[in-house]
Amino acid sequence: MALFERSQSGLGQIVEADMVKGSAYVASFLKSTRKVGLFQDDRGKNLLDTGAPFYDTFETSDGKFMAVGSLEGQFYKLLLKGLELDKVDMPHQMSMSDWPQMKEIIAKRFASRTQLEWCKVFDGTDACVTAILSMDEAAVHPHNIENRTYFEDDEGESHPTPAPDLSRTPASPGKSNNRYFFLIICNNLYNMPRFL
């Protein structure tokens, strides 16, 4: 933005970016949904905070989890199809008063099969349902391998590759400094109270 302004006016400008202002701005959506009754201050009762049965996580029969983010109608329809639930037998998707009952029905379905079985049902669909993986599982997931999302350091440990990918000047992963990084984090956490 500063460089663009410089190219337009010849003067440039200071770009002040902080996390608090950024977070407040990102929450603009929540402020606007309050007016139409889609957001309330109670946790776990809203569209995007696990209140909606189509935007939550569900445990599978093997103790693993699936993430569901089927917000839009076309995705919700595919969620119900994958779960073998008839839309006619379910309350309307946006009937907030029915969400607890709907969540119970969906949770029972997910609990009836393993994570792998649900992956076979939903992989390749647009239902917005995916497995929740451990860090080790994520590093060896076929999608992440194909996209070179992780690299292995000289100690055999996997780490995320630098992002975003740049076509002309790609970043390359550096030598592992895990021990040094860990010491910095621990030191900062230990000293944090005196700054608060």
Side-chain angles (χ1 to χ4, degrees):
M1 291 182 283
L3 294 175
F4 177 75
E5 175 60 22
R6 186 186 71 188
S7 72
Q8 299 298 305
S9 68
L11 299 174
Q13 63 185 329
I14 295 171
V15 177
E16 181 183 338
D18 68 73
M19 292 170 51
V20 175
K21 275 187 185 174
S23 298
Y25 184 70
V26 169
S28 298
F29 168 76
L30 296 178
K31 294 281 282 179
S32 63
T33 58
R34 277 177 109 174
K35 290 181 180 179
V36 294
L38 289 177
F39 182 80
Q40 52 185 298
D41 289 332
D42 293 337
R43 285 181 168 184
K45 295 187 178 184
N46 298 292
L47 188 65
L48 301 177
D49 72 350
T50 73
F54 47 85
Y55 201 84
D56 202 348
T57 60
F58 296 93
E59 189 170 1
T60 57
S61 65
D62 55 354
K64 296 185 176 188
F65 291 85
M66 299 295 288
V68 175
S70 309
L71 286 172
E72 297 175 45
Q74 70 269 28
F75 307 131
Y76 179 69
K77 184 178 175 182
L78 292 171
L79 167 68
L80 295 182
K81 181 180 177 184
L83 293 173
E84 298 173 356
L85 293 170
D86 192 338
K87 187 176 180 181
V88 176
D89 297 331
M90 294 289 283
H92 186 273
Q93 178 184 3
M94 296 308 285
S95 176
M96 293 174 81
S97 62
D98 292 313
W99 282 0
Q101 173 198 358
M102 294 165 69
K103 187 180 284 196
E104 200 173 296
I105 293 168
I106 292 172
K108 283 181 183 175
R109 286 296 169 124
F110 274 111
S112 70
R113 297 185 190 174
T114 66
Q115 186 187 66
L116 182 60
E117 289 171 321
W118 285 118
C119 286
K120 288 177 182 174
V121 169
F122 288 108
D123 283 356
T125 73
D126 286 332
C128 303
V129 178
T130 188
I132 297 176
L133 304 175
S134 70
M135 287 189 203
D136 291 337
E137 290 170 327
V140 296
H141 188 277
H143 175 82
N144 291 332
I145 290 172
E146 182 180 334
N147 288 297
R148 297 181 322 273
T149 305
Y150 294 87
F151 74 96
E152 200 170 280
D153 67 15
D154 53 353
E155 297 172 5
E157 195 172 324
S158 67
H159 302 277
T161 55
D165 288 335
L166 303 173
S167 62
R168 204 172 57 76
T169 57
S172 60
K175 187 177 176 188
S176 172
N177 287 318
N178 285 344
R179 288 182 196 89
Y180 180 67
F181 180 73
F182 180 74
L183 290 173
I184 291 171
I185 296 296
C186 289
N187 184 50
N188 287 337
L189 290 174
Y190 176 77
N191 292 316
M192 192 180 301
R194 85 178 123 148
F195 295 113
L196 298 178

